[in-house]
Amino acid sequence: MPSPRTPLVAGNWKMNTTVPEGMEKAHELVAGARPADVEVAVLPPFTHLWPLCGILHAGGILLGAQDVFWEDAGAYTGEVSPLALAGWCDYVLVGHSERRHLLGETDEQVHRKLVRSLAHELRVIVAVGETLDEREAGATLDVVHRQLDVAFGGVDVGALSRCVVAYEPVWAIGTGRTASPQQAEEVCGAIRLRLETLFTPAVARATRILYGGSVTADNAAELFAQRDIDGGLVGGVSLKPVEFLQVVAAAAATGVGS
Ligand code: PEP
């Protein structure tokens, strides 16, 4: 396990690449130079998880699923169980805004996915973030607090070492409009305070909080240098191995730590 707040850069490939293309990118990633003090994870489509597992793990890169269901088995056509991922897939992502806003996923469903994944010892990235309308209405922290409160309600404090929070303002995802380092830090700092209220100050200090939303090789270093930002959840750029590895390099030695 990484020490508390080892920087993490996770690449969310979304619904992109065929399996052979994904394998090629995975080989490129493991062949590239990476700092030893940054944890790297790749979240390809479900179809790619098993074919990429050996390639990525052999190269020291972790594997993550972009979503998961809240039951272990049953009549849930098209869903993927946390039980089926446990033991070989390292991370699952829950609450991505594309699932919340395009597919109507609720805070309660995000909570159930988190709980079931933790029960199977998976590490979970919980994504939260406000829409542009919510930001302009001054509701950013209300929204983020609500998403955190519901997602983490009743979660055992001992499981927090396997949780990561990703702050992803919806207006910054895939738009090329990145939050400024100050805007990102303001919300990530508020997330840490909320974790303190929900759990304990020590747990809040030890939990990794990522920023996501149009992260590039050009803006990553300044974002990751913020006190409460421990790396990034990267979409578009994660499909470009060379630039993604530059983002990973930017997360090295950014001074995080509990
Ligand atoms: C994402 O999908 O989580 C994301 C942050 O995308 P992008 O980096 O393309 O904005």
Side-chain angles (χ1 to χ4, degrees):
M1 282 296 287
S3 65
R5 294 181 63 184
T6 298
L8 166 64
V9 177
N12 172 15
W13 287 5
K14 311 194 191 197
M15 198 180 72
N16 292 300
T17 73
T18 62
V19 173
E21 286 166 353
M23 290 174 76
E24 203 178 309
K25 284 186 196 300
H27 281 297
E28 274 183 69
L29 281 176
V30 299
R34 286 195 326 274
D37 54 352
V38 178
E39 193 181 287
V40 180
V42 168
L43 284 57
F46 275 118
T47 42
H48 302 36
L49 287 172
W50 187 253
L52 264 60
C53 180
I55 302 169
L56 293 172
H57 282 170
I61 294 180
L62 300 178
L63 180 69
Q66 296 172 18
D67 188 34
V68 70
F69 196 57
W70 57 74
E71 297 286 352
D72 288 348
Y76 304 105
T77 303
E79 295 297 332
V80 174
S81 149
L83 175 64
L85 299 173
W88 59 276
C89 185
D90 307 291
Y91 277 102
V92 295
L93 169 63
V94 300
H96 191 280
S97 67
E98 285 153 15
R99 300 205 62 83
R100 291 181 189 264
H101 296 289
L102 295 177
L103 299 164
E105 191 164 296
T106 65
D107 294 335
E108 177 63 23
Q109 290 170 337
V110 172
H111 166 74
R112 294 177 71 186
K113 291 176 177 194
L114 170 63
V115 168
R116 213 58 227 138
S117 299
L118 290 174
H120 290 290
E121 305 286 322
L122 288 157
R123 303 182 215 177
V124 187
I125 302 173
V126 180
V128 297
E130 82 287 2
T131 63
L132 187 57
D133 284 352
E134 289 163 342
R135 172 161 281 264
E136 286 176 349
T140 297
L141 294 188
D142 290 343
V143 170
V144 168
H145 285 164
R146 189 202 71 228
Q147 291 172 336
L148 289 172
D149 293 354
V150 178
F152 286 102
V155 168
D156 184 73
V157 67
L160 257 285
S161 59
R162 284 184 282 117
C163 296
V164 175
V165 178
Y167 169 53
E168 298 206 305
V170 180
W171 47 272
I173 296 180
T175 59
R177 184 178 166 189
T178 318
S180 70
Q182 294 70 30
Q183 284 173 320
E185 170 60 21
E186 191 186 344
V187 182
C188 291
I191 289 171
R192 201 173 299 289
L193 278 179
R194 198 66 171 189
L195 292 175
E196 191 171 316
T197 310
L198 289 169
F199 297 100
T200 66
V203 162
R205 272 200 303 278
T207 302
R208 289 178 293 181
I209 301 173
L210 312 182
Y211 167 78
S214 297
V215 172
T216 66
D218 291 333
N219 61 29
E222 211 187 338
L223 287 160
F224 298 166
Q226 302 303 307
R227 193 184 55 190
D228 289 299
I229 299 179
D230 307 311
L233 180 54
V234 183
V237 162
S238 70
L239 291 162
K240 304 173 187 165
V242 172
E243 192 173 351
F244 182 65
L245 289 172
Q246 290 168 353
V247 172
V248 171
T254 48
V256 298
S258 54

